[in-house]
Amino acid sequence: MGWDYDAIVCGAGAAGLMAAIHAAERGRRVLLLEKGKKPGVKILMSGGTRCNITHDCENRGIVEAFGPNGKFLHSALAAFGVRDTIAFFNGEGVATKVEDTGKIFPVSDRALDVLDALLRRLHRSGAVLATLEPVRGLATLPDGGFRVSTERRELTAEHVLVTTGGKSYPGCGTTGDGYSLATPFGHTIVPTRPALVPLTVNAPWVADLRGITLPDVGLKVIDGDRGLTARRGSLLFAHFGLTGPAPLDVSRAVSGHAEPGRLTLEMDLLPGVPEPAVDEFLRVETAASGKKQLAVVLSDKLPRRVCDTLLSLADLPVDRKAAALSKPDRQRLVSLVKRLRLPVRGTLGFEKAEVTAGGVSLDEVDSRTMQSKKQPGLYFAGEVLDLDGWIGGYNFQSAWSTGWLAGRNL
């Protein structure tokens, strides 16, 4: 059959680029369509323009980061795992480094180097890239294959891969276009919501701490007396609420709740110190350093402005001396250090979300090939799928892996 292309890939983000490269290197005639002016815009924005390529862990660590849906990634990671990703970019001249958090970045700290490497490889592969050409329609042909309609032309292809991303950072062009391409073929779209997104809270004192980072905090999302999710990591106070790795990692539980205002955030400001040890520290120090201000004693463990805030929340004068701290006052302080509660308002939404939770249902996609179970020849990869993982390079790894596996089968 005389198709224009063997495979058309819709969306030139991380998954689409990787899929187009692999399919073209297998000798397939590939067209990669991108609605924006440039491919890979989200790659350039990611990791504060440094691009957190992947995470330094075994493949099972990637699976774990995606919760129950992570098992869908087993075949994709077997085809193209963490070590393959590092080797791919190293081979294209991008040296990588592992940071203390396990995040893997280019040594240059330049996301542009990552994108340039992909575009060089794409060019060498022989795949054709067309920008400013959004896909407007997708239909099957009577004798097999697909008709792909863009604003400029009608194209035919044996196989089509949808890698249009989710709805996060819509300024990059990711506005959920893939869902409307999938639904006519009978695909279920799991309701989408922002993930890896900053949290807003109803606690005026949080804004007074804006700019302060706590490197290690335990964070729990609580609905009544039920814990929904918990993560430990760093946190940054902001004028609107909380951001940084720990808040972003628990955010999907907030955005996925019907009434976020019913939720509470519980913060453990010293997760590495058991509660009795915090109590003992305060008891001993206040007895030994009675002339010091209580906030100064506490600032041995936490930033001074945080200590002042804790004293205010405990209804203690900010300038009070450490001497003669009563047991009830001490216990109130300990409770605030270990179980500081904040009423949740919500999140900053898709505008500020790094990834999208929800998307094309995984039950309807063959995890061994990325092919639709509803329509032969139609494939999905990347964030358009109902896959979202923790912060730290996990979501990029999912995109590289699912894209590569799809490219192997296009």
Side-chain angles (χ1 to χ4, degrees):
M1 171 112 193
W3 292 294
D4 297 326
Y5 291 92
D6 296 322
I8 292 178
V9 180
C10 311
L17 285 163
M18 197 58 96
I21 286 167
H22 192 35
E25 287 178 348
R26 292 175 46 241
R28 303 290 279 163
R29 293 173 304 133
V30 179
L31 174 65
L32 176 56
L33 294 170
E34 167 54 43
K35 79 170 181 181
K37 248 191 302 195
K38 293 177 178 170
V41 175
K42 208 167 159 191
I43 292 172
L44 293 179
M45 289 178 60
S46 67
T49 73
R50 297 198 300 142
C51 190
N52 179 190
I53 298 167
T54 184
H55 201 87
D56 183 35
C57 60
E58 296 305 313
N59 288 339
R60 67 176 174 273
I62 304 291
V63 168
E64 190 185 316
F66 286 82
N69 285 3
K71 61 183 182 299
F72 179 85
L73 288 170
H74 279 301
S75 295
L77 288 162
F80 194 85
V82 172
R83 302 301 149 209
D84 300 303
T85 299
I86 296 164
F88 177 94
F89 286 106
N90 290 171
E92 293 301 319
V94 180
T96 51
K97 61 180 176 181
V98 183
E99 299 201 337
D100 293 345
T101 54
K103 294 178 181 181
I104 295 177
F105 286 94
V107 168
S108 65
D109 285 328
R110 281 165 40 99
L112 185 59
D113 294 346
V114 175
L115 181 56
D116 282 350
L118 286 161
L119 295 179
R120 278 196 308 273
R121 182 81 170 251
L122 183 76
H123 181 70
R124 288 206 315 274
S125 76
V128 178
L129 171 65
T131 55
L132 290 172
E133 194 163 359
V135 175
R136 291 291 178 233
L138 185 57
T140 53
L141 293 167
D143 298 330
F146 298 85
R147 174 179 287 106
V148 179
S149 307
T150 76
E151 286 181 344
R152 294 190 206 165
R153 51 186 169 162
E154 298 274 315
L155 297 153
T156 60
E158 182 185 8
H159 293 157
V160 169
L161 168 63
V162 177
T163 49
T164 46
K167 291 163 91 169
S168 51
Y169 285 149
C172 291
T174 42
T175 47
D177 304 359
Y179 310 135
S180 59
L181 296 178
T183 46
F185 295 98
H187 277 283
T188 308
I189 307 301
V190 175
T192 56
R193 57 194 190 279
L196 297 190
V197 61
L199 302 176
T200 56
V201 297
N202 285 317
W205 56 265
V206 167
D208 299 333
L209 294 177
R210 63 183 172 272
I212 291 179
T213 296
L214 297 176
D216 186 19
V217 170
L219 203 56
K220 244 185 227 170
V221 179
I222 296 169
D223 182 1
D225 55 1
R226 190 167 63 98
L228 300 183
T229 188
R231 285 291 279 160
R232 182 172 167 178
S234 70
L235 169 152
L236 171 67
F237 291 100
H239 64 281
F240 55 79
L242 306 174
T243 187
L248 265 60
D249 274 342
V250 300
S251 63
R252 76 190 303 270
V254 175
S255 65
H257 198 278
E259 298 176 71
R262 272 183 38 193
L263 303 176
T264 303
L265 280 176
E266 186 178 276
M267 291 166 61
D268 181 349
L269 302 178
L270 294 173
V273 186
E275 192 161 327
V278 178
D279 186 58
E280 182 65 5
F281 165 78
L282 276 177
R283 190 186 67 75
V284 170
E285 287 299 314
T286 51
S289 314
K291 290 180 181 171
K292 279 188 188 172
Q293 284 187 352
L294 185 52
V296 172
V297 170
L298 203 52
S299 69
D300 184 54
K301 302 285 184 192
L302 292 163
R304 176 60 192 264
R305 274 165 61 201
V306 173
C307 299
D308 290 346
T309 299
L310 290 172
L311 291 182
S312 294
L313 293 172
D315 296 323
L316 296 168
V318 170
D319 60 353
R320 76 151 286 164
K321 294 283 189 278
L325 182 65
S326 71
K327 188 175 180 182
D329 284 348
R330 189 179 78 233
Q331 287 177 335
R332 205 155 64 246
L333 255 185
V334 170
S335 172
L336 285 165
V337 169
K338 294 297 287 181
R339 290 184 306 284
L340 178 56
R341 291 200 156 196
L342 298 169
V344 173
R345 183 180 298 148
T347 77
L348 289 186
F350 279 120
E351 290 290 329
K352 300 293 181 187
E354 292 190 21
V355 298
T356 304
V360 174
S361 171
L362 302 181
D363 292 340
E364 300 164 0
V365 178
D366 187 339
S367 66
R368 296 162 302 176
T369 59
M370 297 294 128
Q371 184 171 219
S372 163
K373 292 179 181 176
K374 301 278 186 180
Q375 174 59 55
L378 178 63
Y379 294 76
F380 297 94
E383 204 184 324
V384 73
L385 292 164
D386 180 22
L387 283 168
D388 63 291
W390 299 328
I391 198 167
Y394 298 99
N395 292 286
F396 264 131
Q397 185 59 56
S398 167
W400 311 132
S401 298
T402 56
W404 184 268
L405 183 56
R408 176 191 280 181
N409 294 288
L410 286 177

